[in-house]
Amino acid sequence: MHSSSSPLSSPSSSSSLSSASPVSPVSAHPLAAYGWDEGWDAAFAPFSGRNLLPGRVVRVDRGLCDVVTATGVVRADTEFVVPRDPMKVVCTGDWVAVDPEGGDPRYVRTLLPRRTAFVRSTSSKRSEGQILAANVDHAVVAMSLAVELDLGRVERFLALAWESGAQPVVVLTKADLVPDPVALSYLVDDVVASAPGVPVLTVCARDGEGVGELAELIGRGTCVLLGASGAGKSTLANALVGEDVMDVRATRDMDGKGRHTTTTRNLLPLPGGGVLIDTPGLRGVGLWDAGGGVGQVFSEIEEFARDCRFQDCAHDAEPGCAVRAAVDDGALPLRRLESYRKLVRENEWIVAKSDARMRAGVRQGWKRRQAEGRAAGEAKRGRGPWRPAPPR
């Protein structure tokens, strides 16, 4: 982190502790400002008699991590908690048990069970998951108004956010670049329609517009800040923290894209309580076993689908498809249906790549749907009745 003051000595920590009334042993804990509560206290209990310290990971870098403890930030080695499963590696936001002062080097001895985890698929052909942040309450998706809004990307982020167990929030940054209030309202309406059940805010971090509303919304918990390079995440992080803790660079004039000013995931205390995890810009946002999240993002489609004639309707050429009827009636935008299909197919493929039985089932399903589509086309041209392909 680029902060010049010790996290435990910051005014935000002392004010948040002194404001609690009555003061319980947990709320008075030095790590309360970082999210320590009765649940974490109970999870750490088995290790309290082993002369270990509880702490939260604020940064991970090349096999080492910075851990904030009751005695300050310590540098610790992760050698003893390096699993074969990439989903279980130490990540920013994790709560851990670390060696007390005196050890050189100091080691992280164990990870406490995670409550939530924001995971995406890697770009590798091995189809591995990558954890971006752990134990997160809110996932703040930053989308820049300096470029054309990509609603499909918003939906992709939200699917991962819902799947993680966090409450998503969409923040439209650089709102000052859309001075026409009518045009801005149209952009907000488009995002709201693509994000059912998700708060959507407009923010201009440079002048503080909307920052207070966002800070109040994310509360005193843990939030992760996500978005592409150039989305204004570092500027927004600085505005939320109240000081320049993250480097900021200008975006390219030609396309509004930014450089990777943030190269690691950093956990930063907020002045009103709670913490923020800032992340590097994400070029790719691959789904990772996010079927539930996709369903929540496209809840209206799944609601329409309940009235389809066939339970496994692909919402393409099948007769009695309530989803296609909703598109024809104007109740459902075609773009939403196409985006839904894309994310469902991608998620099925990601899951199937790690499950041979499911992979075979997905291929059979695709072949059956293709056959049904061809049969429906023949029926439309008067070459025979349409019949659904028998299940396999």
Side-chain angles (χ1 to χ4, degrees):
M1 294 188 300
H2 303 285
S3 176
S4 58
S5 60
S6 170
L8 291 179
S9 62
S10 64
S12 61
S13 301
S14 60
S15 62
S16 62
L17 296 181
S18 62
S19 62
S21 180
V23 178
S24 68
V26 172
S27 63
H29 194 282
L31 292 175
Y34 286 82
W36 186 262
D37 58 25
E38 292 181 356
W40 294 119
D41 194 60
F44 183 76
F47 308 99
S48 59
R50 294 169 50 183
N51 197 29
L52 297 175
L53 297 176
R56 193 165 196 189
V57 177
V58 298
R59 182 177 179 179
V60 179
D61 183 25
R62 299 179 181 178
L64 299 174
C65 63
D66 292 336
V67 181
V68 59
T69 71
T71 60
V73 177
V74 303
R75 189 75 163 160
D77 197 309
T78 63
E79 179 181 351
F80 294 119
V81 286
V82 177
R84 293 184 178 179
D85 185 352
M87 299 284 284
K88 297 180 181 178
V89 299
V90 178
C91 179
T92 302
D94 272 323
W95 286 95
V96 300
V98 66
D99 287 335
E101 188 176 1
D104 187 19
R106 295 167 78 161
Y107 290 96
V108 172
R109 297 294 174 175
T110 191
L111 272 67
L112 301 188
R114 291 168 176 149
R115 294 178 180 174
T116 63
F118 191 97
V119 183
R120 69 166 178 174
S121 67
T122 64
S123 58
S124 70
K125 296 182 180 180
R126 292 178 295 178
S127 182
E128 294 179 344
Q130 178 191 23
I131 298 179
L132 299 182
N135 301 310
V136 172
D137 301 301
H138 288 88
V140 179
V141 179
M143 301 293 295
S144 172
L145 291 174
V147 295
E148 183 177 356
L149 276 177
D150 185 344
L151 297 177
R153 189 174 178 86
V154 172
E155 291 160 345
R156 181 178 293 270
F157 267 117
L158 294 180
L160 291 174
W162 281 122
E163 193 69 29
S164 76
Q167 165 66 51
V169 179
V170 177
V171 174
L172 303 179
T173 64
K174 308 182 182 182
D176 57 314
L177 299 181
V178 188
D180 182 356
V182 176
L184 182 59
S185 68
Y186 285 148
L187 293 172
V188 172
D189 289 345
D190 286 343
V191 177
V192 169
S194 302
V198 177
V200 178
L201 306 178
T202 58
V203 169
C204 178
R206 288 187 176 180
D207 61 16
E209 180 184 350
V211 174
E213 184 179 358
L214 175 60
E216 183 177 353
L217 181 63
I218 60 179
R220 299 168 61 86
T222 298
C223 69
V224 60
L225 188 53
L226 305 155
S229 296
K233 298 189 307 302
S234 295
T235 303
L236 182 56
N238 288 340
L240 288 168
V241 174
E243 58 180 299
D244 292 338
V245 292
M246 305 302 299
D247 291 334
V248 177
R249 296 181 186 175
T251 56
R252 299 196 304 238
D253 291 336
M254 66 182 74
D255 55 11
K257 293 183 179 180
R259 302 176 181 88
H260 286 283
T261 57
T262 303
T263 57
T264 59
R265 292 181 283 278
N266 304 285
L267 188 147
L268 310 165
L270 298 175
V275 293
L276 169 72
I277 299 176
D278 191 26
T279 63
L282 300 175
R283 291 191 179 93
V285 194
L287 297 187
W288 179 260
D289 196 7
V294 172
Q296 197 149 357
V297 173
F298 297 93
S299 57
E300 81 278 29
I301 293 180
E302 303 223 329
E303 187 67 27
F304 286 128
R306 294 179 181 178
D307 295 327
C308 289
R309 181 182 301 179
F310 303 107
Q311 289 185 347
D312 60 348
C313 183
H315 318 308
D316 188 5
E318 300 90 339
C321 176
V323 174
R324 289 293 312 185
V327 172
D328 295 339
D329 293 343
L332 175 68
L334 179 59
R335 187 206 67 79
R336 285 280 284 173
L337 177 56
E338 292 175 343
S339 182
Y340 172 75
R341 286 173 176 162
K342 179 179 180 179
L343 294 188
V344 167
R345 286 196 301 266
E346 178 182 330
N347 192 68
E348 286 179 344
W349 179 244
I350 287 294
V351 173
K353 286 176 74 174
S354 59
D355 188 322
R357 180 179 297 179
M358 181 171 289
R359 181 163 60 248
V362 168
R363 286 174 177 168
Q364 289 180 355
W366 286 351
K367 289 180 180 179
R368 179 172 56 79
R369 290 169 183 171
Q370 288 173 354
E372 289 175 353
R374 288 193 297 269
E378 293 292 323
K380 286 183 178 180
R381 291 190 289 271
R383 298 180 182 178
W386 187 93
R387 295 186 179 90
R392 302 194 180 199

